[in-house]
Amino acid sequence: MDRIKIAFFDAKDYDMQSFMEANADEKYEIKYLETRLTEDTCVLAEGCDVVCVFVNDDVNPNVIDRLQSMGVKLVALRCAGYNNVDVEYAYGKIHVVRVPAYSPYAVAEHAIALLLTSIRRIHKAYIRTKDFNFSLNGMTGFDLHGKTVGVVGTGKIGRIFIDICRGFGMNIIAYDKFPAKDSEIEYVTLDELWERSDIISLHCPLTDENLHMINEETMKKMKKGVVIINTSRGALIDTEALVEGIKARHIGAACLDVYEEESNIFFHDYSNHIVNDDTLARLISMPNVIVTSHQAFLTNEALRNIADTTFDNVRSFFENETCVNEVCYKCANISNCNQSHDKKCF
Ligand code: NAI
């Protein structure tokens, strides 16, 4: 068989490096493309067997039709979330695989880093002491010990986040659509979670049903001063409502690694530009908001795992006719596809 050709969209230096290392024997022919996958750019995948995409590539029905007509057989997501792929439309046309876990530790630890930075004002202290300003005014934080953290989504990342929080002596409550049966986690309803939590951290996927799960109404149920952490997907939060909640001094702080309108902004350097997104600009201007650019996953360990698993996915698809990490709309809707995953979903 000829070498499998992969069109690698939205390529950045760091992931090119890890993929080149994992493909040192040049088993795969990879075309690294800086551009994101869109209807306008999918033509660049002409002649390729696989498109490899990340969180902000847009795999919509038109893109799927174009890719299929060009003979592309596989969409290999190099991430866990797949809300940017119309998996229902793709079913029967083009297979979709993902990297279900690359380093849940990386994301959980980043969520904790954001939380500690925010509540102990490390971001402020860093700038102050750089300027030889050793004043402590405005730097008062609070102890995590004894506080209640509400965790939405108790999968791989949520569980690690919970373990770390336990180490701090925090009380944990959680909500999950599919609660774990074999755990010591105290599951509550979402309303109870909003009402009881001092800190709320989101670790669930984005789906049609939980779009804007944090909104004007749900924020009203939250404690005054609550800290909200989102390392999952931006659209879990209605960002304009969040801005209002912070302006009203009801929300104490927000730690955001994701943003619902991030796709044209995150991962790019706009330091010499006027950013047109007023909502993001307002958020960034607030002293109690920390924004990172979807970097929670970005550790050496995670990058290597992403590259290795992506190549394993491609290899198993073309060589063994199996598809361990396939996602289809059945997988997405009932959480467990009716296929056994030792073969392809269709
Ligand atoms: P996972 O699949 O192991 O766990 C997700 C959990 O959410 C499951 O327990 C599931 O039952 C639960 N869930 C599903 N729908 C829900 C709903 N409507 N409400 C509440 N819970 C629901 O996924 P994992 O690996 O823990 O990742 C969680 C999320 O983290 C991903 O979906 C992705 O959006 C995000 N992520 C972000 C990264 C970043 O760099 N910021 C990197 C990797 C993942």
Side-chain angles (χ1 to χ4, degrees):
M1 185 183 176
D2 290 341
R3 279 199 307 168
I4 293 164
K5 296 194 184 74
I6 303 175
F8 191 106
F9 284 88
D10 206 9
K12 299 284 182 288
D13 287 351
Y14 45 82
D15 41 30
M16 280 196 279
Q17 189 184 337
S18 56
F19 273 77
M20 280 174 188
E21 280 168 18
N23 189 38
D25 58 359
E26 300 194 1
K27 182 177 165 70
Y28 302 99
E29 188 177 328
I30 306 180
K31 189 161 137 187
Y32 291 101
L33 301 158
E34 273 184 37
T35 182
R36 287 192 294 127
L37 176 63
T38 65
E39 285 171 52
D40 294 332
T41 62
C42 56
V43 66
L44 296 168
E46 186 74 58
C48 292
D49 308 290
V50 182
V51 291
C52 183
V53 299
F54 197 51
V55 292
N56 291 324
D57 291 297
D58 186 7
V59 191
N60 65 35
N62 290 340
V63 170
I64 291 165
D65 284 341
R66 289 291 303 278
L67 293 175
Q68 190 190 17
S69 71
M70 290 190 296
V72 173
K73 294 177 186 59
L74 185 67
V75 174
L77 285 153
R78 51 182 194 278
C79 53
Y82 47 87
N83 55 289
N84 54 328
V85 182
D86 191 327
V87 282
E88 181 162 5
Y89 192 80
Y91 190 82
K93 298 184 176 68
I94 194 161
H95 292 267
V96 181
V97 288
R98 66 177 183 137
V99 181
Y102 25 100
S103 176
Y105 302 100
V107 183
E109 289 170 15
H110 191 78
I112 294 288
L114 288 173
L115 174 61
L116 286 171
T117 302
S118 171
I119 66 160
R120 302 308 304 268
R121 314 281 190 266
I122 305 295
H123 54 310
K124 295 278 164 198
Y126 177 79
I127 292 167
R128 272 196 199 182
T129 56
K130 280 272 175 206
D131 200 27
F132 297 92
N133 174 355
F134 301 105
S135 153
L136 290 182
N137 287 334
M139 302 297 257
T140 311
F142 64 81
D143 291 4
L144 287 179
H145 185 270
K147 296 295 183 303
T148 296
V149 59
V151 179
V152 181
T154 55
K156 292 177 284 297
I157 296 170
R159 297 268 200 125
I160 293 164
F161 181 83
I162 287 172
D163 285 346
I164 299 173
C165 289
R166 286 203 173 114
F168 280 114
M170 302 173 79
N171 307 313
I172 320 285
I173 54 175
Y175 170 80
D176 195 298
K177 200 176 165 196
F178 308 98
K181 295 189 177 66
D182 57 338
S183 76
E184 292 172 3
I185 298 169
E186 180 189 350
Y187 284 102
V188 297
T189 63
L190 261 185
D191 276 350
E192 195 177 341
L193 186 141
W194 305 142
E195 285 159 18
R196 283 176 54 191
S197 301
D198 301 298
I199 295 148
I200 293 169
S201 196
L202 303 180
H203 298 289
C204 59
L206 172 67
T207 63
D208 290 342
E209 66 183 346
N210 64 15
L211 178 88
H212 287 181
M213 73 190 306
I214 293 187
N215 55 44
E216 189 183 347
E217 289 310 307
T218 52
M219 275 190 280
K220 279 184 195 152
K221 297 175 184 166
M222 296 176 193
K223 284 186 183 178
K224 184 173 163 51
V226 64
V227 178
I228 297 174
I229 309 166
N230 188 7
T231 56
S232 274
R233 285 295 179 266
L236 292 168
I237 299 180
D238 177 344
T239 318
E240 293 197 358
L242 177 67
V243 169
E244 293 309 313
I246 298 170
K247 279 164 67 181
R249 315 292 194 270
H250 185 65
I251 304 301
C255 304
L256 308 173
D257 185 52
V258 285
Y259 168 56
E260 57 181 323
E261 301 298 333
E262 73 179 49
S263 62
N264 287 321
I265 301 174
F266 281 15
F267 309 130
H268 299 284
D269 179 359
Y270 286 115
S271 52
N272 279 323
H273 297 256
I274 309 292
V275 169
N276 287 328
D277 187 323
D278 288 352
T279 308
L280 181 63
R282 184 71 173 104
L283 272 177
I284 288 174
S285 76
M286 292 168 154
N288 50 354
V289 174
I290 298 178
V291 175
T292 52
S293 176
H294 207 135
Q295 76 173 68
F297 73 99
L298 195 61
T299 64
N300 291 328
E301 293 81 357
L303 289 173
R304 187 61 207 225
N305 285 338
I306 289 170
D308 288 345
T309 308
T310 301
F311 287 133
D312 284 348
N313 287 342
V314 173
R315 191 168 27 251
S316 86
F317 182 86
F318 286 98
E319 293 178 12
N320 309 334
E321 291 290 307
T322 57
C323 217
V324 190
N325 292 319
E326 179 155 25
V327 274
C328 69
Y329 82 98
K330 290 180 185 168
C331 302
N333 282 342
I334 58 173
S335 148
N336 203 349
C337 180
N338 57 0
Q339 295 285 354
S340 58
H341 281 287
D342 56 358
K343 52 187 177 183
K344 292 169 182 163
C345 288
F346 56 89

